[in-house]
Amino acid sequence: MTEGTTSAAADAPAPAPTSKNDLIAQLEQEGDIAADYLEGLLDIADLDGDIDMDVEGDRASVSIVGEDSGAHRALLRLVGQDGEVLEALQELTRLAVHRETGERSRLMLDIAGFRAGKRAELAQLGAKAAQRVKETGEPAKLSPMTPFERKVVHDAVAAAGLRSESEGEEPQRCVVVLPA
């Protein structure tokens, strides 16, 4: 092949992973692509931040953290009100990964610890709701949440030994914690 040409194989989407090692390698590749994309974004926005990559369960996880309190405060602009900007940046990052790999990404993005803090808060909410349902025997319907938020609550309820369901239509979809 000459310089500047590509083969059909190079243009084809990556094959689905066949083993745990293949899956980890694919998720690490997603993290690398996302990190490159986000580094470019930080450069354009003239923001300082360190990028950490990890594999959590069956998804790549990328975090942008501030080196000091000033950088941390500046990064919070990329979170936005109630994480709205963070959600949009996550989707753009997933699209950048998709463009490179041809595969849909479930990558999770956190900026300035916002999502980690939200996860802890939601896990506590789910555990408290489960405890209330155990005590009263009555189902508990929680406020509408994003898919990420509902997933964290479902996991906390399951860890407490109860079950839960999502009900309603977006953006009013919520978790209902059910008695045993």
Side-chain angles (χ1 to χ4, degrees):
M1 208 171 2
T2 61
E3 187 177 8
T5 63
T6 61
S7 69
D11 293 335
T18 56
S19 72
K20 184 169 176 95
N21 288 341
D22 289 345
L23 176 62
I24 290 172
Q26 178 182 338
L27 295 175
E28 287 173 345
Q29 178 190 19
E30 286 184 18
D32 288 339
I33 293 166
D36 290 344
Y37 175 79
L38 292 166
E39 289 224 2
L41 176 82
L42 290 174
D43 287 344
I44 290 168
D46 196 27
L47 294 171
D48 291 326
D50 292 331
I51 297 179
D52 296 329
M53 296 177 293
D54 198 7
V55 172
E56 296 177 2
D58 60 349
R59 65 174 60 193
S61 175
V62 178
S63 299
I64 303 173
V65 293
E67 300 167 356
D68 56 41
S69 61
H72 179 83
R73 279 192 308 276
L75 287 174
L76 288 175
R77 291 184 293 173
L78 296 179
V79 172
Q81 184 176 348
D82 297 324
E84 290 175 345
V85 176
L86 171 59
E87 289 291 332
L89 289 173
Q90 178 175 275
E91 287 306 312
L92 289 172
T93 305
R94 287 177 174 176
L95 287 171
V97 170
H98 181 265
R99 185 186 66 225
E100 292 291 322
T101 65
E103 297 289 322
R104 182 179 173 271
S105 173
R106 295 181 57 238
L107 176 131
M108 185 66 66
L109 175 63
D110 191 5
I111 299 175
F114 176 82
R115 208 177 286 276
K118 190 77 167 173
R119 179 178 280 133
E121 178 184 310
L122 290 165
Q124 184 177 21
L125 173 71
K128 283 183 179 179
Q131 184 60 38
R132 191 169 60 248
V133 169
K134 283 179 180 178
E135 290 170 1
T136 66
E138 297 293 320
K141 185 175 182 177
L142 304 178
S143 299
M145 298 178 191
T146 68
F148 161 76
E149 293 168 336
R150 289 193 309 269
K151 169 80 168 91
V152 173
V153 172
H154 285 306
D155 290 348
V157 169
L162 292 181
R163 63 186 185 90
S164 57
E165 298 174 351
S166 291
E167 78 175 29
E169 299 294 322
E170 296 293 352
Q172 296 300 313
R173 197 156 170 83
C174 61
V175 173
V176 178
V177 181
L178 302 166

